[in-house]
Amino acid sequence: MDSRRQSKMASLLQQTMASILQKNAVNFIGSGVLVSITKVITSPDLSVAKFYVSVFGNEEPQLTVDILNSTSYEWRRHLGNELRNNLRKVPEIEFFVDDSMEYAQKMNKIFKDLNEDK
């Protein structure tokens, strides 16, 4: 269970990184790809932040996440510049594919198929 401090930090990081990605993603990922941050999980000591992202406009979302991870130092630098008055130390950043939408669609299809069989 996350502490209140972790939850506040995760919310702040999510809002700030979403803004940063909106401004700068084209330079790193390319045009036509939309990256949305769905969830942020921070470690108890706030030294690591895991960003879960949904990728639209790309058939291989893992490829986009790999690009984000390979340039994580740039994203961390942008994050530090935006939050320099709010943080003592900028956390290490890791990006992961959030496949919860795919999972939900898969489960809906299974339930739909089950109802059609009756």
Side-chain angles (χ1 to χ4, degrees), residues 17 21 24-25 28-29 33-37 51-55 61-76 93-97:
M17 184 59 78
L21 281 172
N24 301 307
F28 295 96
I29 300 168
V33 177
L34 177 65
V35 178
S36 174
I37 298 174
F51 290 87
Y52 290 86
V53 297
S54 291
V55 180
Q62 186 59 47
L63 186 66
T64 303
V65 170
D66 290 342
I67 292 169
L68 289 171
N69 279 320
S70 68
T71 57
S72 65
Y73 61 91
E74 286 290 330
W75 301 113
R76 186 173 183 227
I93 296 173
E94 299 173 15
F95 292 96
F96 298 94
V97 174

Side-chain angles (χ1 to χ4, degrees), residues 38 52-54 96-104:
T38 57
Y52 290 86
V53 297
S54 291
F96 298 94
V97 174
D98 183 12
D99 57 357
S100 60
M101 290 299 288
E102 291 174 19
Y103 179 75

